């Protein structure tokens, strides 16, 4: 499969768009007006961008506390994202959920939840409903490396395989669960063999390589629809602290060498290098693109600050669906 | 169509089949729902009629199943997940409490979660510490859940249908011993409003008993005995624990001014606690000091020698009523004798004389 | 050794270290207990002193961890399992409720299960529906568990030590905002008796407030304001919820005859329900209609615009006291103004003015 | 490794002893005086006998609802077992637990519980304590095939492997979870690869072959103590209904051929055949042995019926340990 130039540019733009938005959130966060936890995806953009390229708005995704990139890449509304961070009615959950809860039926981002592993069986249930409905969608389940320690992850894999559901499990392995490295948590477990033994197809991608992830996602989607569940496993790295807007490398829980290794593998840098090689990268155009994203973000912020929050009356009426 | 006297399980089975007929999105999930026993013969008819596509056998994975059910409901399915014992649902508490109960609310009110979790409370024949818990008060603490506890076949049918077609997660808790009772109910599909916590099962003027599930049945039995002695009990069935609406209780108490609560679970931090708190806060005037009759505050012992006296009996109920109403000693002893006589007919650890162990 | 004013976390840390020193069987387990932050800096000292053999990092597997902890306790270990949020413990409910709470009992009383589960309640800075639940009443329903909810640094130290050396599973629930308070306590190792539910934190004669944890602190603040206006509140700290011993409450009510309960969780089927039920059953005479002040009966909204008014405030408390005591209008408005003034100093979603988000 | 004649005879006797006791329980159960559920092990005796041969009284076991054979093979008291079935104070749990709860510190049968998978992490915790104590014991965890569907099973394997604990996981795969066959529940899952991928040594035994199970248990024990967790996986078959004293083949949830296959592989028959081959089987001696077991059982029943149950006062005092 070959990726054409336009698509390549689009990949770069998507990576960049997410990066800029997250960077701007980090800056803005310091004003202490976004009053909820934020788990930024800076450094990890390649996976959601690559995966989302093969999804339509009708395909479903569920995700985790670290959900901004999933939502943006799925085509989610930046205004709604910002709205949620500011706790306004315009937010994805009308301010009720906060940064770790995303929901947008317009793009079928069904839900993000901050309980580790919490959305995995829900994605399986969605896959089951798709299968019953015989609609040609897939259910994509994003989760981090720590979620693979929860029992519900295994129960979910097991069920998905048993019923041959159209599900793509996407593991973004950034090697850390908060401050604890994978070595301390997984020992000698072999995730590839594990997934395969459960009768779920296993596809590992190149690290932070959006084109590779895109190609493999295509294969995954086809397989999921025709044969049943697939797991895309992708190593990546977050640049900032687990939760919050800052770099926390001063805490030294991650080896310097490791950080350097990953900085050299920055998904955007990788892509720019490739585009330069085939001469379709234009500095000026790129700068213009970046600036337009930044401008849009800033205007979204300004707009959001002036919007209203949900009325308490409406809130109090939400215990039950009627 | 005339009503027929049919069993609780008939009612359940009929409610499931008719609901599935009404809406093809209704599906059943669970361990054993397709096996030869079909969850105490309640799912066999549905399986026969709708097949394995809609009556779905599952692995033993309670937490995932609860989340899977939730995921299915988001795409318009109306799944009913069944556990043969309440106790197994504790494995799915993360999905039920952290997710399902809050889902509609926490994502801004746009998604609905129409799902039912059907749970069965064990009792008798050595159903010990891990197979006979009665966790209604725990479920009832959580905003977003509806908690339904039927006591009769007729109610079972209508409440299950209402639960299935409700837009919210409903925990439907049925007591295993109710399976041995029958009542009249219509062959037609019908629903019973879940916003109507209390049903008046017997009118009376001397004292109000509020109870649920199997203990409601026991309370009715007690009331029947007392009636012979001209003691006229009003028996209210608390068949929906959340949302909790107590107006009918207050009206009843205004009339009788005397109150007893009978619980199938533990007293402390139990169902009765919330009821009593409301009575106090509403400043309802009572002539007696009301009492919560409940199980002993420790887990169910398996041995029949040890669980005799663990559950509230008709004798306990009558005894308490006599106390409240200052019934004369000789009448009281007649009443209690009658209770003992009735109780002696069936061993205390069996639901029915025809029962053969094990469950 | 003189007492020093030290923080809640200092107390926790010291209690852990001293208990571990006293008994080499005491070990700590949990996600993040060995990381740079050491569960809000409470386990770093223990790690430094006792190393990774006794402060044990774990995968994110809450149900297994609870069972593992139980297994270790059966061989004489005294494990303390920590979860940074109460909400995560729902994943371990099967092991905690089906096994740990019943273990000593159901195997005939021969095995002991000395284990502590330390849980932290989140609040503020967008701690939304899944990170701020207050599940005390749920835990408190189960025979066999002990439920401890400290409110001060001093109590934290002594109650944690008592919990560690108790022979039963203890659920130790601490509120995240308590970390911003300090009090005087001894450097020496000490325990506080868990059989003594209530501690009198302030004596008074006009009205009794019963509360726990962070809401006890808020109640004390309210009492302090009221004192200036000659309103003399007795403030009782319900620091052990199970086993529940209410004698001190009854004595207090005999004196004040007025009562308010202040809860950090949901009202319905909450802690207050059980307290009120006891008052009714014990026929305690009250001059006011008592009230449960509690969180709104829906999950915590994340947005600061939406959770303003969700938790009970000192103003709510003072307002209710004024109502009960029929305080004159002009005094009442002075009191409420003062409350507002104090509350305006720190945004309602922060524990402290120096706090910088996120948690 | 060679098993000597005496050991061979002992194996046969153990198999037989358990069989007879369970058969007698089934008979006696019909009198409706053992008033609790019973999950009999008839047909499945080879695993607990083989495994127990390598255990000392100081090694620990935990088990499931189907626990009689585990307890008897570990050297448990028949009187205490019967006492529990009758709900008497002489029972393993003083009558409080019933048939599905075994506990006996004399033989370190720490616990059986009827929640599927419920005892697995507890066995892991015991293994951890053993490791910390540096005592040379093992922790044996018995479970059925259905338990491998519970999340806690995976969490437990994971933890045991990570911490290299001296644990033998023993899976008795009787192909059924109540009336539901493994095919309907496990699809194409590969248990061998699964266990291995989690860094737990996997040992499959011959079906119902007590000698093979004995030999492999020796290997397993050595490995567990030296290197960490092992899983012994052993296919077997129950003859009677899931719960209760009867044969329920009339329900036809198990294929006739399958039943026949397993009846031909009866663990006792297999053993007798072997012993006959090497001419150490003596019909008369065996009959005498069987009769003595039966006699002991009957006298235990008579004794138990006459013993007292726990006083309610003592029972009510058991909420907390003091
Ligand atoms: C059930 C549960 N346990 C613990 C936590 C605390 N917690 C929040 S994020 C996190 C780490 C998640 O790591 P991973 O899944 O790898 O995702 P990442 O943050 O690396 O993207 C943990 C343990 C939680 N939210 N839920
Ligand atoms: C958590 C839980 N879910 C469901 C059950 C109901 N149940 C009792 S035994 C059993 C089947 C167990 O099968 P397996 O583990 O293979 O053991 P076997 O009975 O075959 O020996 C089930 C599902 C239970 N006891 N616990
Ligand atoms: Mg990670
Ligand atoms: Mg089996």
């Amino acid at each position: 499969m070959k990726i054409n130039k336009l698509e390549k540019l689009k990949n770069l733009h998507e990576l960049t768009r997410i990066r800029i938005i997250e960077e701007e959130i980090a800056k803005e966060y310091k004003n202490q007006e976004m009053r909820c936890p934020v788990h930024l995806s800076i450094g990890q953009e390649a996976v959601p961008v690559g995966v989302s390229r093969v999804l339509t708005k009708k395909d479903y995704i569920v995700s985790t506390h670290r959900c901004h990139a999933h939502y943006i890449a799925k085509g989610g509304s930046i205004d709604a994202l910002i709205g949620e961070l500011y706790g306004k009615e315009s937010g994805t959950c009308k301010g009720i959920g906060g940064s770790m809860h995303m929901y947008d039926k317009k793009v079928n981002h069904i839900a993000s939840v901050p309980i580790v592993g919490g959305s995995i069986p829900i994605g399986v249930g969605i896959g089951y409903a798709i299968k019953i409905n015989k609609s040609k969608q897939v259910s994509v389940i994003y989760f981090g490396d720590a979620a693979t320690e929860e029992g519900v992850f295994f129960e979910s894999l097991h069920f998905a395989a048993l019923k041959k559901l159209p599900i793509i499990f996407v593991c973004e392995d950034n090697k850390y669960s908060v401050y604890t490295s994978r070595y301390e948590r997984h020992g000698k477990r072999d995730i590839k063999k594990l997934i395969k033994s459960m009768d779920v197809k296993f596809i590992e991608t190149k690290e932070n390589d959006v084109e590779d992830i895109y190609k493999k996602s295509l294969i995954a989607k086809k397989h999921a629809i025709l044969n049943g569940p697939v797991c895309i496993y992708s190593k990546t790295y977050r640049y900032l602290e687990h939760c919050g807007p800052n770099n926390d490398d001063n805490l030294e829980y991650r080896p310097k060498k490791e950080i350097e290794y990953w900085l050299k593998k920055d998904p955007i840098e990788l892509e720019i290098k490739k585009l330069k090689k085939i001469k379709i990268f234009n500095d000026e155009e790129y700068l213009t693109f970046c600036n337009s994203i930044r401008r849009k973000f800033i205007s979204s912020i300004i707009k959001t600050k002036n919007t209203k929050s949900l009325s308490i009356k409406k809130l109090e009426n939400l215990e039950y669906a009627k | 169509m005339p009503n027929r006297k049919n069993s609780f399980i008939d009612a359940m089975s009929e409610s499931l089949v008719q609901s599935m007929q009404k809406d093809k999105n209704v599906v059943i999930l669970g361990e054993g729902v397709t096996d030869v026993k079909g969850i105490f013969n309640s799912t066999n008819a549905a399986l026969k009629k709708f097949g394995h596509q809609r009556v779905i056998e599952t692995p033993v994975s309670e937490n995932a199943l609860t989340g899977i059910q939730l995921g299915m409901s988001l795409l318009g399915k109306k799944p009913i997940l069944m556990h043969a014992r309440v106790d197994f649902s504790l494995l799915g508490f993360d999905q039920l409490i952290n997710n399902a109960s809050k889902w509609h609310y926490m994502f801004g009110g746009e998604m609905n979660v129409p799902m039912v979790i059907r749970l069965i409370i064990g009792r008798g024949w050595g159903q010990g510490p891990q197979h006979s818990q009665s966790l209604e008060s725990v479920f009832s603490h959580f905003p977003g859940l509806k908690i339904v506890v039927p006591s009769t076949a007729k109610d079972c049918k209508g409440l299950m249908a209402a639960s299935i077609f409700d837009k919210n997660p409903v925990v439907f808790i049925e007591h295993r011993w109710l399976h041995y009772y029958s009542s009249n109910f219509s062959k037609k599909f019908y629903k019973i409003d879940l916003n109507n916590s209390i049903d008046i099962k017997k009118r009376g003027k001397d004292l109000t008993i509020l109870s649920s599930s199997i203990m409601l049945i026991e309370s009715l039995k007690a009331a029947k005995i007392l009636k012979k002695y001209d003691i006229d009990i009003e028996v209210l069935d608390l068949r929906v624990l959340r949302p909790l609406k107590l107006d009918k209780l207050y009206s009843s108490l205004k009339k009788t001014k005397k109150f007893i609560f009978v619980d199938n679970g533990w007293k402390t931090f139990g169902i009765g606690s919330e009821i009593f708190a409301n009575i106090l806060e509403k400043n309802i005037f009572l002539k007696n000091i009301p009492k919560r009759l409940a199980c002993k505050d420790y887990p169910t012992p398996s041995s029949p020698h040890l669980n005799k006296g663990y559950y509230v009996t008709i004798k306990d109920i009558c005894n308490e009523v006599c106390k409240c109403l200052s019934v004369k000693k000789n009448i009281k002893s007649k009443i209690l004798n009658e209770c003992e006589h009735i109780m002696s007919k069936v061993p205390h650890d069996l639901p029915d004389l025809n029962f053969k162990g094990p469950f």
Side-chain angles (χ1 to χ4, degrees), chain A residues 6-20:
Chain A
L6 230 75
E7 285 180 311
K8 280 179 196 274
L9 264 175
K10 194 169 168 202
N11 284 340
L12 175 63
H13 283 176
E14 274 298 276
L15 293 172
T16 308
R17 193 164 72 95
I18 297 173
R19 172 73 54 93
I20 289 173

Side-chain angles (χ1 to χ4, degrees), chain A residues 144-201:
Chain A
D145 45 305
T148 70
E149 295 150 25
E150 289 286 6
V152 79
F153 168 65
F154 295 89
E155 294 181 353
S156 299
L157 279 177
H158 182 108
F159 191 90
L162 180 66
K163 307 287 183 185
K164 297 196 190 311
L165 305 182
I167 294 171
I168 309 177
F169 292 91
V170 182
C171 181
E172 297 175 306
D173 182 353
N174 64 7
K175 214 189 138 181
Y176 288 85
S177 172
V178 195
Y179 304 104
T180 309
S181 99
R182 193 177 54 234
Y183 299 129
E184 269 186 85
R185 298 177 288 117
H186 294 191
K188 293 190 183 159
R189 196 178 79 168
D190 184 329
I191 186 84
K192 178 178 174 175
K193 288 188 181 155
L194 174 51
I195 300 286
K196 286 171 75 171
S197 74
M198 298 197 74
D199 196 29
V200 172
K201 187 179 170 73

Side-chain angles (χ1 to χ4, degrees), chain B residues 35 37 57 60-62 125-126 130 298 302-303 306 349 357-358:
Chain B
D35 73 26
K37 295 289 174 78
E57 189 63 45
V60 192
S61 310
E62 288 80 2
W125 202 264
Q130 298 188 331
Y298 47 79
S302 170
S303 163
L306 300 178
D349 64 337

Side-chain angles (χ1 to χ4, degrees), chain A residues 73-216:
Chain A
K74 189 74 180 23
S77 148
I78 306 306
D79 285 350
L81 171 62
I82 306 292
E84 197 59 31
L85 297 177
Y86 280 92
K88 298 302 187 80
E89 184 167 10
S90 61
T92 55
C93 306
K94 306 200 173 101
I96 299 172
S99 155
M100 308 188 286
H101 294 263
M102 291 283 128
Y103 160 68
D104 192 340
K105 69 174 165 216
K106 290 198 203 86
V107 296
N108 277 350
H109 184 133
I110 279 269
S112 295
V113 298
I115 298 291
V116 168
S119 61
I120 297 177
I122 292 165
V124 173
I126 291 169
Y128 204 176
I130 292 172
K131 174 140 185 168
I132 292 174
N133 292 345
K134 298 200 174 87
S135 55
K136 287 257 128 79
Q137 296 143 297
V138 289
S139 170
V140 174
I141 303 172
Y142 288 106
F143 53 95
D145 45 305
T148 70
E149 295 150 25
E150 289 286 6
V152 79
F153 168 65
F154 295 89
E155 294 181 353
S156 299
L157 279 177
H158 182 108
F159 191 90
L162 180 66
K163 307 287 183 185
K164 297 196 190 311
L165 305 182
I167 294 171
I168 309 177
F169 292 91
V170 182
C171 181
E172 297 175 306
D173 182 353
N174 64 7
K175 214 189 138 181
Y176 288 85
S177 172
V178 195
Y179 304 104
T180 309
S181 99
R182 193 177 54 234
Y183 299 129
E184 269 186 85
R185 298 177 288 117
H186 294 191
K188 293 190 183 159
R189 196 178 79 168
D190 184 329
I191 186 84
K192 178 178 174 175
K193 288 188 181 155
L194 174 51
I195 300 286
K196 286 171 75 171
S197 74
M198 298 197 74
D199 196 29
V200 172
K201 187 179 170 73
F202 182 87
I203 304 180
E204 182 160 359
T205 76
K206 288 186 192 157
E207 292 166 352
N208 280 352
D209 183 333
V210 70
E211 292 192 8
D212 187 60
I213 295 167
Y214 174 19
K215 285 182 201 164
K216 286 177 175 157

